[in-house]
Amino acid sequence: MKEEIIMAGFGGQGVMSMGKLLAYAGMKEGDEVSWMPSYGPEMRGGTANCTVIISSEKIPSPLSSRPDTVMVMNLPSLEKFAPMVKEGGTILINSSLIAKEVERDDIEVIKVPANEIANELGNSRVANMVMLGAYLARKNIVKLDTVKKSLKDVLPERRHDLIPINEEALDRGAALVK
Amino acid sequence: MGEKILMKGNEAIAEAAIKAGCRYFFGYPITPQNALPEYMSRRLPEVGGVFLQAESEVAASNMVYGAAGAGARVLTSSSSPGISLKMEGISYIAGAELPAVIVNMMRGGPGLGGIQPSQSDYFQATKGGGHGDYRLVVLAPSSVQEAVDLTMEAFEIADRYRNPVMIVGDGIIGQMMEPVEFKKEIDPADLPKKDWATDGAKGREKNVINSLFLDPRELEKHNLKLKAKYDKMKEKEVRYETYKMDDAELVIVAYGTTARIALSAIELAREKGIKVGLIRPISLFPFPEKIIAEAAGKVNSFLVVEMSAGQMVEDVRLAVNGKKEVYFYGRTGGMVPSPEEIVEEIVKIGGAIK
């Protein structure tokens, strides 16, 4: 098993934390993982992104040019990363902020109204967790439960009061896809 | 200890230094390695150490000189332009035969260059950089775990030879997060006493730490002593890793992150039926020339891949010694080669040798 994932959005949408959480959970399940923040020339252009690779074997390149999955939180990220998704791969789109359709028929498109659901939960900042929940339900790379358990490792202690709402957001995202 | 945690390379190197018994850090900020001094500024006071942000890189490297002279395990870190500024101190530390560890998270140059990953300080790290006939042991990790292990080892090597050791990473090694495990922790109080250190001469003969030898006969003697030390390093401190060399017809030579990307390229090339292997130098000085010379007797050709315009390729050519063709592929300025680009080069070479 090897899964290459790119997560992208505006700075502040929690894209880096999503990646860290996923990588932490992968590590807890005994997989090899790497987390790489946006780096190189692609960091220009108003988007933050990170690459996470989860594999049952040692990870060669920590960068990904043909990701299996891409999660995009805003329009510039869709335009930049949709063309990179591997044939037969998956793209998850934050449909609350992206009206545009994906112009490819060789990949699976999952629309996640991440901000709407986060707002229903009362905190727009958990939109990233809604997205991650949807991803976890679609691809069985790491268990939702392990991700929940990793929240305390990734969130700084002063934010541990937010663990329940993050868990709820993960569940709501997962429910969309199930 | 023993538990895996997810850490950025820069922070993991800092923690590894502390676990190796380092209690002193002198530095000056520069991207892309700021997470390292930031971590040290928080952690060193917790363990009774000293973190000091100096007024300049030159000052920081001379503070390292002082702490090393007093016998302490000491670290400094920077990125390319900052390392250039530290060269004065580094040459003095090498000349005075003091152990210290220097981290260079390389970014694109020359001059201020950029802040993206690069490997264009290979010459500076392995061939001098500062003035005078000196060498650093230069270690190049390709994963965060290896960065931890090599940092801990760097302090041992530095003490063993009384010589500065440099860890070189491209910016990616510093910024990426991977699981790490700290396998041991050294209490500085348990380290062997350094009987040469200038730590107070009460009750004993005074020790002198110096790099000035005005009598040319004395300086030559000193230079020959240093040379003997570097020869011993060449004999004992060579480190490398090989991958799929048994049936390889073409060998990639690459280090650091580039070697990881090369592994992905090897997978792709082998899917196309091209037998490619890898030699990954871990010590850049001493350079693993023997394994490369041996490979020259077996394989058809070499491809050196670097994030530079071609620096390590010169050492590979010396080791191959004209026996086989040595090709080069490099990206510069902060651009990172992709596995697909490397495969294209492999295919091109394949065409040239058939």
Side-chain angles (χ1 to χ4, degrees):
Chain A
M1 178 278 289
K2 183 179 172 201
E3 165 93 347
E4 301 183 1
I5 311 126
I6 292 181
M7 283 146 271
F10 290 125
Q13 280 185 310
V15 162
M16 299 298 179
S17 323
M18 257 165 106
K20 276 183 203 170
L21 190 59
L22 186 56
Y24 230 108
M27 179 179 78
K28 278 198 168 170
E29 290 190 358
D31 292 321
E32 299 283 344
V33 298
S34 67
W35 174 91
M36 183 70 217
S38 44
Y39 209 51
E42 77 270 10
M43 72 184 278
R44 286 160 203 271
T47 71
N49 70 77
C50 67
T51 302
V52 171
I53 301 179
I54 301 176
S55 173
S56 48
E57 278 163 58
K58 228 174 142 179
I59 295 164
S61 172
L63 308 166
S64 176
S65 38
R66 308 289 295 157
D68 301 282
T69 303
V70 159
M71 295 179 233
V72 289
M73 298 298 288
N74 67 355
L75 182 62
S77 302
L78 172 84
E79 286 169 341
K80 190 178 325 181
F81 292 105
M84 282 172 67
V85 182
K86 195 184 269 179
E87 207 175 302
T90 304
I91 187 164
L92 292 101
I93 292 170
N94 179 9
S95 56
S96 306
L97 300 183
I98 306 170
K100 202 178 164 194
E101 295 294 323
V102 176
E103 291 156 0
R104 280 181 68 175
D105 53 14
D106 59 342
I107 57 174
E108 176 192 21
V109 179
I110 298 174
K111 292 184 179 172
V112 182
N115 284 74
E116 282 158 65
I117 293 175
N119 288 337
E120 276 172 41
L121 292 171
N123 189 338
S124 64
R125 296 185 60 185
V126 297
N128 60 343
M129 292 298 118
V130 177
M131 180 61 101
L132 186 60
Y135 166 74
L136 293 166
R138 172 60 190 87
K139 291 230 177 169
N140 229 343
I141 301 295
V142 289
K143 293 190 190 78
L144 180 62
D145 197 41
T146 317
V147 171
K148 285 182 182 171
K149 281 184 185 140
S150 303
L151 279 165
K152 66 172 184 346
D153 299 305
V154 174
L155 285 172
E157 225 168 294
R158 61 177 199 283
R159 295 255 177 270
H160 281 191
D161 57 317
L162 296 174
I163 289 177
I165 191 171
N166 276 282
E167 289 180 338
E168 214 179 323
L170 284 163
D171 285 334
R172 288 289 301 273
L176 277 178
V177 178
K178 268 177 184 157
Chain B
M1 251 185 299
E3 194 201 347
K4 279 195 174 175
I5 49 171
L6 200 61
M7 273 184 114
K8 278 188 185 172
N10 282 323
E11 296 182 343
I13 288 174
E15 184 59 35
I18 290 170
K19 294 270 196 289
C22 169
R23 292 293 180 271
Y24 300 91
F25 180 95
F26 307 99
Y28 192 82
I30 186 168
T31 305
Q33 59 82 57
N34 285 326
L36 201 165
E38 191 188 338
Y39 187 90
M40 280 304 210
S41 71
R42 188 171 66 242
R43 274 286 280 145
L44 276 173
E46 285 174 11
V47 292
V50 173
F51 167 89
L52 200 151
Q53 182 175 314
E55 67 270 34
S56 71
E57 282 88 349
V58 181
S61 69
N62 282 295
M63 289 172 188
V64 172
Y65 185 11
R73 286 195 162 177
V74 55
L75 179 75
T76 187
S77 69
S78 194
S79 179
S80 310
I83 292 289
S84 291
L85 290 164
K86 281 179 176 153
M87 278 302 164
E88 175 186 295
I90 293 171
S91 170
Y92 280 52
I93 293 164
E97 293 194 83
L98 295 176
V101 177
I102 303 141
V103 175
N104 182 6
M105 284 298 166
M106 294 182 277
R107 57 187 246 182
L112 275 174
I115 59 167
Q116 310 299 340
S118 163
Q119 297 180 317
S120 52
D121 302 344
Y122 178 92
F123 284 152
Q124 185 193 47
T126 62
K127 313 284 178 189
H131 61 280
D133 246 338
Y134 79 91
R135 297 286 192 166
L136 306 174
V137 172
V138 182
L139 305 172
S142 76
S143 68
V144 179
Q145 180 65 57
E146 194 175 40
V148 163
D149 297 342
L150 289 178
T151 300
M152 297 201 66
E153 222 175 320
F155 283 96
E156 298 295 328
I157 296 169
D159 280 352
R160 196 180 311 146
Y161 293 92
R162 287 183 57 183
N163 202 74
V165 177
M166 184 177 271
I167 306 277
V168 292
D170 46 76
I172 291 176
I173 292 285
Q175 307 258 339
M176 136 173 105
M177 279 179 122
E178 285 185 321
V180 290
E181 193 184 341
F182 295 93
K183 290 158 195 160
K184 58 179 174 181
E185 179 161 9
I186 295 165
D187 184 336
D190 296 337
L191 289 168
K193 185 143 175 48
K194 293 167 177 173
D195 56 12
W196 47 261
T198 49
D199 54 357
K202 204 172 179 183
R204 62 156 168 81
E205 282 285 298
K206 68 173 179 184
N207 287 334
V208 176
I209 285 167
N210 173 41
S211 70
L212 179 69
F213 298 85
L214 286 174
D215 180 341
R217 281 163 299 200
E218 285 299 307
L219 182 53
E220 186 178 53
K221 218 166 94 186
H222 180 58
N223 285 143
L224 291 174
K225 184 185 165 208
L226 293 179
K227 165 85 166 56
K229 193 162 80 171
Y230 306 143
D231 286 344
K232 198 171 163 200
M233 289 169 184
K234 282 187 185 176
E235 202 183 299
K236 307 228 180 232
E237 304 301 336
V238 173
R239 289 162 173 77
Y240 62 86
E241 189 180 70
T242 61
Y243 178 72
K244 295 206 170 164
M245 285 295 289
D246 289 347
D247 63 345
E249 288 167 2
L250 181 147
V251 188
I252 296 179
V253 186
Y255 69 96
T257 300
T258 312
R260 300 266 298 261
I261 299 167
L263 286 176
S264 296
I266 289 169
E267 269 177 42
L268 294 174
R270 283 185 175 260
E271 279 168 24
K272 289 179 191 282
I274 313 172
K275 288 172 182 160
V276 184
L278 175 75
I279 297 175
R280 176 172 74 89
I282 297 170
S283 59
L284 304 183
F285 181 87
F287 192 68
E289 49 199 28
K290 266 191 205 143
I291 181 73
I292 292 172
E294 275 170 37
K298 294 180 217 156
V299 304
N300 292 333
S301 52
F302 290 80
L303 172 63
V304 179
V305 186
E306 298 177 60
M307 286 190 269
S308 85
Q311 300 193 12
M312 181 177 72
V313 63
E314 293 190 3
D315 284 334
V316 175
R317 287 206 173 106
L318 282 172
V320 171
N321 204 12
K323 280 189 202 135
K324 294 284 153 62
E325 199 68 49
V326 178
Y327 298 87
F328 174 74
Y329 181 69
R331 294 298 303 264
T332 59
M335 299 299 290
V336 179
S338 71
E340 291 79 9
E341 284 166 33
I342 299 174
V343 172
E344 255 177 61
E345 286 302 307
I346 292 169
V347 170
K348 257 194 247 168
I349 295 166
I353 56 171
K354 264 167 201 165

